[in-house]
Amino acid sequence: MKAVARPFSAQTPAPLPARRSKFLLAAALWIVQAQAAGAADWYTGDKTTEPDYAPTVLLDASGSATTTQSVFGAAAVTGAIDGDFRQNGFRFRVEGVAGTYNYFTTLPAVAPATVGVRKKIYADQEDGGVLGGYGWVMRNWSFALFGGMELSNTTLSYPDPNNPTAGFSIGAKIAGEFYGNPTPNTMLSGYGSFSTNNSEYYSRIKAGYRIWGNVFIGPEFLALGNRFYSEYRAGVHLTGLTIGRLAFGLSGGATSSRVTGSGGYALLDAQLAF
């Protein structure tokens, strides 16, 4: 009787060469997948501590305070319009800033007085903007530029002719930012903005050295002001602390302002990715 060959089934073991081929094929696929995942790890930094995901929305919040009684808080929502933050593309941003500061000023003399009156002024400031822009992403660096409209309002506790920023205004705003790792153990980041509302500007630059995981420590420098005041800050930052998808940093140092005087500052910022 002629033997009939049966096809291999789940119950019939494959010959050794076939099983070896399947094993080699599976190993090759695993290696390809591992290499593909590793190619994207540059975005999330240290791949042993950071999740591998591609955010499309970033929520940023920060708060700062000085010993000269200046307190400000800011929040911004940035979204990737086409794709995610791992790739080049258009972005949008909605942001807001609110805070208070105080200073002493000499009011003009009122007849029959011949000497002006020195008075303490309390100021409340609110800014809000809607911006659009574009981001460029490279292996170790990312850059973004934004432009749009900003609303600004400053209220004084007492009329001060020396402070031209009082009142409400609508203007244009531009901003730019970058983040990079010049070497595997260093980081460099910066942000700068300018608004036609009272010629308001803000800039911050940080350099850091990796101390563990994706956490960096190093110096920072800030310059901010408008038509009424200018302020400079220099200190030390700790950046890259994480809790899940929440990343945050701490910094503090010395501040000097020609309006509010010299003192110290502390700053907390956080970012949540979706």
Side-chain angles (χ1 to χ4, degrees):
M1 179 180 296
K2 185 177 179 180
V4 179
R6 295 181 301 163
F8 293 111
S9 64
Q11 290 76 30
T12 305
L16 183 59
R19 283 185 288 172
R20 183 177 300 169
S21 299
K22 290 182 179 181
F23 173 80
L24 292 175
L25 178 60
L29 290 174
W30 181 85
I31 292 173
V32 170
Q33 291 173 351
Q35 290 177 339
D41 284 333
W42 61 267
Y43 178 80
T44 55
D46 182 44
K47 54 190 173 185
T48 62
T49 59
E50 293 292 326
D52 185 15
Y53 62 92
T56 57
V57 177
L58 300 176
L59 173 60
D60 291 277
S62 65
S64 66
T66 70
T67 57
T68 57
Q69 301 179 14
S70 169
V71 179
F72 275 83
V77 177
T78 307
I81 297 177
D82 48 348
D84 54 56
F85 288 101
R86 280 183 174 171
Q87 59 193 40
N88 298 345
F90 291 98
R91 320 284 197 233
F92 74 88
R93 175 170 294 170
V94 179
E95 60 184 20
V97 178
T100 181
Y101 65 95
N102 60 75
Y103 62 94
F104 283 96
T105 189
T106 300
L107 300 176
V110 179
T114 57
V115 179
V117 177
R118 184 169 173 80
K119 189 174 182 65
K120 190 173 187 178
I121 305 294
Y122 294 87
D124 295 322
Q125 180 181 338
E126 301 90 24
D127 297 333
V130 178
L131 310 174
Y134 195 87
W136 295 267
V137 181
M138 291 169 277
R139 182 172 181 81
N140 295 316
W141 294 89
S142 63
F143 303 85
L145 291 175
F146 293 89
M149 180 184 68
E150 183 186 62
L151 309 178
S152 180
N153 183 64
T154 299
T155 304
L156 305 180
S157 61
Y158 192 87
D160 178 15
N162 300 314
N163 188 345
T165 67
F168 176 80
S169 61
I170 302 176
K173 181 176 181 177
I174 58 173
E177 60 192 27
F178 70 89
Y179 180 91
N181 297 109
T183 69
N185 290 318
T186 61
M187 60 82 69
L188 184 67
S189 70
Y191 173 86
S193 67
F194 177 82
S195 170
T196 58
N197 291 316
N198 301 306
S199 298
E200 186 174 275
Y201 64 91
Y202 180 94
S203 61
R204 182 186 187 188
I205 187 167
K206 300 190 296 182
Y209 184 81
R210 188 191 305 270
I211 54 177
W212 78 81
N214 208 33
V215 179
F216 297 84
I217 189 171
E220 73 171 7
F221 179 78
L222 297 90
L224 56 152
N226 55 29
R227 289 195 296 156
F228 178 60
Y229 78 94
S230 59
E231 182 175 342
Y232 301 95
R233 299 177 181 181
V236 177
H237 73 90
L238 187 65
T239 299
L241 301 168
T242 59
I243 301 177
R245 293 191 176 186
L246 177 67
F248 62 96
L250 302 166
S251 63
T255 178
S256 178
S257 169
R258 66 180 180 87
V259 172
T260 59
S262 300
Y265 79 93
L267 194 154
L268 169 66
D269 51 59
Q271 184 180 84
L272 186 62
F274 298 93

